[in-house]
Amino acid sequence: MTISKLFPILTWGRDYSRQTLENDLLAAVIVTIMLIPQSLAYALLAGLPAQVGLYASIAPLVIYALFGTSRALAVGPVAVASLMTAAAVGELAAQGTPEYLGAAIALAFLSGLMLVAMGALRLGFLANFLSHPVISGFVTASGLIIAASQLRHILGVPGGGHNLVELAGSIWANIGAINLPTVVIGVFATAFLFWSRKALKPLLVARGARPRLADLLTKAAPVALVAATTLATWALGLAGAGVAIVGEIPSGLPRPTLPPLDLALWMQISTPALLISIVGYVETISVAQTLAAKRRQRIDPDQELIALGAANIGAAASGGFPVTGGFSRSVVNFEAGAQTPAAGAFTAVGIAAAAVFLTPLLHYLPKATLAATIIVAVLSLVDLGALARSFRYSRGDFAAMLATILVTLGTGVESGILAGVGLSIFLHLYRSSRPHFAVVGQVPGTEHFRNVNRHEVVVSPTIYSIRFDESLFFANARFIEDRINAAVAANPAIRHVVLVCPAVNFIDLSALESLEAVNARLKEAGIKLHLSEVKGPVMDRLQRSHFLQELGGQVFLTQYDAICALDEGCARRAFAARRGGV
């Protein structure tokens, strides 16, 4: 690996211009305004002190600017990773304790090590085991759990839980303790955020504001809400009326931190760290590829593993928790005109300034305001309509999505993602073990062959031509063997079996042994096995075995060649077709 490949900044940095600097600075201002309340809110969601959210939004952005290949991706705390952090660490320590914070830091560090190792070994393909239905179902269920977990802050009641059942039960048990001022703040904050997202920019444009300024003011709406509710809570003395506030937030930059060197702790968080790594990488790479395609840029998936891993190690070293590429902030960064990852580094400077100068002003910030910020952010992730779409298209994908949603809602995020991955792998193996196949015949007057059940074709009673639309390997070897044996047993007139192979990209040893067994049985019955349209790499492998020497029939370049060699009627049909066309 070259230095420029490991540090992409050496590539894009050579062409960095004043105009690029101006675009990156403007994008950084907009993303900083958006990220301040989000960072505080996601720390609350993870069960950590508010300032930890700011810490997790400084070093990771600078590190990603050095290692990342996406020009617009913005890394930092996100809702799903924060929820997974709370679920993992909550099993090990009580919130508010040094042990809880230490476990969260260790989780970020271990997740970072895993991602860097995966990148060095070029294991980005492992994320493919999380199918889109599983990811969609997991994100939808996680969004519902996150929103439900914040209702207690909106209502001002105690409670908690790791799944929807526990959360609903705890809220119901404390429903009599609702705090009215908290409800007013929470409902107002939620309604304002929903309104500002949809209606504020059109209103400002209609009042004469320039679109760029209207967009900036819309992005700043959450900051205005934070300022307004904080000022109102202080002025009205609402903390004394039972409104939960953030309290004292230490000002200053994060100090270098080492994760707890506790082997037992690392063993306990290894599975959650792996899940956070994979889920975070899938989200990161999806966002990065989408934004890169819009500008005809490219990213390096394996380098993104290293960049994201280094960002998480940086988060741990600065007292933060797991981070990943966020969809909403990356889109905002892109639309604001960010040209290079330097925009993220400038955003880190803005967050650092907020950590130094603004934190004393947030003492009276209501937790209900942060809860509203989280609810509005995560509800955009919920897509229950995907269930109906997947049901219409694929029952298997629908089952994977529904199972992921139900298990996640019923038992928690870790069980949900594991169930979804397990079901996806099972469905893949099941489908592969029963590949689509077609008995094919000749389309009259042509050299084309199609499925006898879909087209009007000509078939010879003595030739059985079957096409398997899948590579042949251990999972489907027995199925293929059974189909050929059953067809021969049902039709005594068959004298030739032609295995049509245009879709076969690979034949493993198990499938080869099955073909050898089929060939031997057919020989004993006086039937010849033939192959047609075999791809070059597959043929190369077959030539390294004894199969071709023992093959009862021949290997034909095309299926038309096979039928013409084995069926005299083929030549007569071709002659008649040519004569009819003259």
Side-chain angles (χ1 to χ4, degrees), residues 110-149:
L110 184 56
S111 176
L113 289 180
M114 289 178 172
L115 286 165
V116 170
M118 291 167 63
L121 297 173
R122 308 185 70 83
L123 297 180
F125 70 89
L126 291 176
N128 295 335
F129 286 106
L130 285 176
S131 66
H132 177 74
V134 167
I135 286 293
S136 178
F138 176 72
V139 170
T140 291
S142 297
L144 293 174
I145 291 178
I146 292 169
S149 71

Side-chain angles (χ1 to χ4, degrees), residues 259-532:
L261 301 178
D262 183 346
L263 182 59
L265 171 64
W266 286 41
M267 293 296 293
Q268 288 176 303
I269 64 173
S270 58
T271 298
L274 179 61
L275 293 177
I276 289 175
S277 300
I278 295 177
V279 171
Y281 173 67
V282 170
E283 180 177 0
T284 298
I285 204 70
S286 299
V287 175
Q289 288 177 334
T290 299
L291 297 181
K294 292 183 177 182
R295 291 180 179 169
R296 297 190 178 184
Q297 298 167 348
R298 67 175 298 274
I299 63 170
D300 184 340
D302 291 311
Q303 179 62 24
E304 285 300 298
L305 279 169
I306 294 175
L308 187 59
N312 274 279
I313 293 173
S318 56
F321 60 105
V323 298
T324 187
F327 177 77
S328 58
R329 71 172 64 100
S330 296
V331 171
V332 169
N333 195 41
F334 178 87
E335 293 178 348
Q339 298 297 309
T340 72
F346 298 144
T347 300
V349 174
I351 299 296
V356 173
F357 300 110
L358 297 183
T359 49
L361 303 177
L362 300 174
H363 180 91
Y364 288 97
L365 172 61
K367 289 186 177 180
T369 300
L370 296 180
T373 302
I374 295 173
I375 290 174
V376 173
V378 300
L379 286 183
S380 62
L381 303 176
V382 177
D383 184 12
L384 293 176
L387 279 171
R389 294 193 298 271
S390 64
F391 181 81
R392 290 193 298 267
Y393 186 78
S394 169
R395 299 296 191 270
D397 288 337
F398 168 77
M401 183 182 294
L402 181 62
T404 303
I405 291 175
L406 293 179
V407 175
T408 302
L409 292 178
T411 63
V413 291
E414 290 183 16
S415 301
I417 196 67
L418 288 173
V421 171
L423 185 56
S424 290
I425 295 174
F426 170 78
L427 289 173
H428 170 71
L429 292 176
Y430 178 77
R431 290 165 180 162
S432 299
S433 69
R434 302 178 64 83
H436 177 267
F437 70 93
V439 178
V440 297
Q442 184 180 8
V443 178
T446 73
E447 297 182 7
H448 301 294
F449 292 79
R450 293 293 184 268
N451 191 334
V452 298
N453 295 323
R454 293 177 178 271
H455 301 272
E456 294 292 334
V457 294
V458 178
V459 295
S460 169
T462 62
I463 302 174
Y464 180 71
S465 299
I466 184 168
R467 185 193 72 221
F468 287 100
D469 299 326
E470 180 76 62
S471 292
L472 311 184
F473 67 114
F474 67 92
N476 58 31
R478 178 66 64 180
F479 177 84
I480 294 168
E481 190 175 340
D482 291 342
R483 291 306 310 173
I484 295 176
N485 291 338
V488 170
N491 189 352
I494 292 176
R495 290 294 174 263
H496 301 278
V497 172
V498 183
L499 186 58
V500 191
C501 305
V504 177
N505 298 313
F506 179 77
I507 298 177
D508 76 354
L509 188 58
S510 298
L512 178 62
E513 292 178 351
S514 290
L515 291 180
E516 290 173 342
V518 168
N519 181 58
R521 291 195 194 100
L522 293 180
K523 274 186 177 180
E524 293 175 357
I527 302 173
K528 293 183 178 181
L529 175 65
H530 308 269
L531 305 179
S532 72

Side-chain angles (χ1 to χ4, degrees), residues 73-118:
L73 187 72
V75 299
V78 299
V80 174
S82 299
L83 175 65
M84 296 179 74
T85 298
V89 179
E91 300 288 337
L92 306 175
Q95 289 188 14
T97 63
E99 291 77 14
Y100 190 97
L101 176 58
I105 293 173
L107 190 63
F109 188 77
L110 184 56
S111 176
L113 289 180
M114 289 178 172
L115 286 165
V116 170
M118 291 167 63

Side-chain angles (χ1 to χ4, degrees), residues 9 12-13 16-36 54 57-66 71 73-75 253 333 336-355:
I9 188 174
W12 57 260
Y16 205 77
S17 64
R18 181 175 179 178
Q19 183 62 48
T20 304
L21 173 63
E22 293 176 357
N23 291 335
D24 285 347
L25 284 173
L26 178 60
V29 170
I30 295 174
V31 175
T32 299
I33 292 172
M34 174 186 180
L35 198 53
I36 290 174
L54 297 176
S57 302
I58 300 175
L61 280 78
V62 177
I63 292 173
Y64 183 83
L66 298 175
R71 301 294 181 94
L73 187 72
V75 299
L253 296 176
N333 195 41
Q339 298 297 309
T340 72
F346 298 144
T347 300
V349 174
I351 299 296

